[in-house]
Amino acid sequence: MANDGGRKQFWKRSGTKVPGSIQHVYGAQHPPFDPLLHGTLIKPGSKPPTTPVKLKKVSTFQEFESNTSDAWDPGDDDDELLAIAAENLNTEVVMETAHKVIQNHSKLQEQHKFLEEHLQEEKQVESAELTSVACGDNRLVKSVSEGHTSSSSGNASENSSMQRSQSLPQTSTPPLVSGMADFNTSVTPALTEREASRLDKFKQLLAGPNTDLEELRKLSWSGIPKRVRPIAWKLLSGYLPANVDRRESTLQRKRKEYFAFVEQYYDSRNDESHQDTYRQIHIDIPRMSPEVLRLQPKVTEIFERILFIWAIRHPASGYVQGINDLVTPFFVVFVCEYIEEEEVENFDVSSLPEEVLQNIEADSYWCMSKLLDGIQDNYTFAQPGIQKKVKMLEELVSRIDEQVHRHLDQHEVKYLQFAFRWMNNLLMREVPLRCTIRLWDTYQSEPEGFSHFHLYVCAAFLVRWRKEILEEKDFQELLIFLQNLPTAHWGNEEVSVLLAEAYRLKFAFADAPNHYKK
């Protein structure tokens, strides 16, 4: 029949190379055969499998079937493979090869150890030389030999740890000082491959004659390397122009303008009309963090001038508690521009030259002013901006996690009792300063980051603690927990997760505000 003829034609293939035939592979599935251990597996006189012989001629399909071995069929194939391996295996060769591998590994270990000891000795010798050199204030001096030693030791350690880094997971080093240290910096920063790549991208972008601000925002959203953060923040805040040629003249003009304000207004701080404002500023500054910074008289003096001049220049709001916290991140970031090798918290700011301190003060004032221009309704009379945002936060949380919202409502906890500070201080009192700086990298990359995107960050921040919130069954305990959240150990990883969740919420609700209105 036609069907039988088609079936027969389908199976007519060359018997030499049959599609689907299994070829034996030696490796993990078939380890080298040791005749001493597996001698019993060899079956002397074992015969290959045969197909039943029929009187009529074997069909082409039966040829295909006999030439194709199934990987799942038990048989004598494994025994034959082991026998072949036993014939080709030379135990002496295997032992000799293994011995050579061990010897080579030992030599490499000794070379790495010798190199590390040699570099350590060089570092100690040059450190002794540096100590003997009288260089005045050693906190501001970085000699050429020190820089050479740091770079050479960094290269050597990178080479010696290359093999280890390929097999071991990368781990972030916790900060030396929990209040201030940045996870991606240290006294001698050793950048990972990813961090070095990101830093190169920033440098290339900033090196052009006109910086592409949109591209800078995209890069900065995931965090800005410490070395380029000062210039990036000045550009993102709108303080500096994108054109490189105009930046220096802009800085000189704005710094001169700020100190003209100081000369004009600061002496009036003791006048009866301004006395209350200055007194409140003087009371609030010691409440700021980090503690070591705020206890430095020079820092207190700078912060008092910045806040008083801003209050006088913005009579619609004047000075309001909470604004004092907003100076700190700018001040710390701009100080780092001049002391790359130092922890800011442990650094004596008064040791910087007066001209440098004036530059930091003026830059901090203008960048803080740019920030407050976008959220000034948070600090006008009755602070309507904050009250509106707290209400929006309540509506948003009721949609994204109704159980948490209902739990707070059942225990009569009002959002205004804990979220007012979140909006007023932009979460600065809730997370360490290093986390605030990382948050602000993203806020300055987002359109309306400090006003609009901050709402979604607060929602994600609250829901982040849902397990602990639901475990509390008392009004007082709930409020104490929400006002003292355990974030002292937080770093870049926790902030990145928080920002990712906030972005997800923004994507879902920002363009459809009715979604979170009941």
Side-chain angles (χ1 to χ4, degrees), residues 383-397:
Q383 298 182 271
I386 291 180
Q387 299 204 41
K388 179 182 177 182
K389 289 184 178 70
V390 171
K391 182 63 178 175
M392 291 173 70
L393 175 66
E394 183 176 356
E395 293 172 348
L396 183 58
V397 173

Side-chain angles (χ1 to χ4, degrees), residues 89-109:
L89 186 65
N90 189 329
T91 307
E92 293 180 0
V93 174
V94 172
M95 294 301 294
E96 184 180 354
T97 305
H99 187 61
K100 285 181 180 178
V101 171
I102 293 170
Q103 281 184 336
N104 292 337
H105 181 70
S106 301
K107 286 179 182 178
L108 286 174
Q109 292 275 8

Side-chain angles (χ1 to χ4, degrees), residues 191 276 279 288 297 313 364 390 400 436 491 501 517:
L191 299 179
D276 291 341
R279 185 186 299 113
M288 298 188 312
R313 294 277 303 163
S364 299
V390 171
I400 63 177
T436 297
E501 178 61 18
K517 288 183 180 178

Side-chain angles (χ1 to χ4, degrees), residues 19 41 62 132 157 191 268 279 282-283 296-297 333 359 369 433:
L41 294 177
Q62 289 171 329
S132 62
S157 62
L191 299 179
S268 67
R279 185 186 299 113
H282 194 71
I283 291 171
Q296 296 186 35
V333 167
N359 292 343
S369 297
L433 183 55

Side-chain angles (χ1 to χ4, degrees), residues 48-188:
T50 57
T51 53
V53 179
K54 296 185 180 180
L55 295 176
K56 65 179 181 177
K57 184 180 178 180
V58 180
S59 70
T60 52
F61 175 76
Q62 289 171 329
E63 266 183 12
F64 174 80
E65 186 179 27
S66 63
N67 287 326
T68 306
S69 58
D70 195 335
W72 303 106
D73 286 345
D76 295 335
D77 290 344
D78 292 339
D79 298 339
E80 292 175 9
L81 290 173
L82 292 172
I84 294 169
E87 291 174 5
N88 297 330
L89 186 65
N90 189 329
T91 307
E92 293 180 0
V93 174
V94 172
M95 294 301 294
E96 184 180 354
T97 305
H99 187 61
K100 285 181 180 178
V101 171
I102 293 170
Q103 281 184 336
N104 292 337
H105 181 70
S106 301
K107 286 179 182 178
L108 286 174
Q109 292 275 8
E110 290 174 2
Q111 288 175 2
H112 291 321
K113 186 177 180 182
F114 174 78
L115 184 60
E116 289 175 359
E117 290 176 353
H118 181 65
L119 289 170
Q120 188 66 25
E121 288 175 3
E122 284 185 356
K123 191 174 180 180
Q124 289 175 356
V125 171
E126 296 205 10
S127 297
E129 290 176 359
L130 286 173
T131 307
S132 62
V133 177
C135 56
D137 191 352
N138 58 9
R139 285 166 297 190
L140 299 175
V141 175
K142 184 175 185 295
S143 67
V144 176
S145 61
E146 182 186 359
H148 174 72
T149 305
S150 301
S151 62
S152 62
S153 62
N155 293 335
S157 62
E158 184 180 350
N159 293 333
S160 63
S161 63
M162 188 175 295
Q163 293 178 345
R164 290 195 300 269
S165 64
Q166 291 174 351
S167 58
L168 296 176
Q170 296 290 338
T171 56
S172 59
T173 306
L176 297 175
V177 182
S178 63
M180 282 294 307
D182 194 338
F183 276 170
N184 58 6
T185 60
S186 62
V187 176
T188 54

Side-chain angles (χ1 to χ4, degrees), residues 385-428:
I386 291 180
Q387 299 204 41
K388 179 182 177 182
K389 289 184 178 70
V390 171
K391 182 63 178 175
M392 291 173 70
L393 175 66
E394 183 176 356
E395 293 172 348
L396 183 58
V397 173
S398 69
R399 296 304 302 269
I400 63 177
D401 198 327
E402 188 177 358
Q403 189 177 3
V404 167
H405 175 73
R406 192 166 57 248
H407 186 76
L408 294 173
D409 186 57
Q410 286 174 352
H411 293 86
E412 299 182 348
V413 176
K414 305 300 180 186
Y415 281 75
L416 208 60
Q417 294 170 324
F418 63 88
F420 180 89
R421 190 172 72 181
W422 296 8
M423 303 298 179
N424 192 50
N425 301 84
L426 298 177
L427 288 176
M428 281 194 62

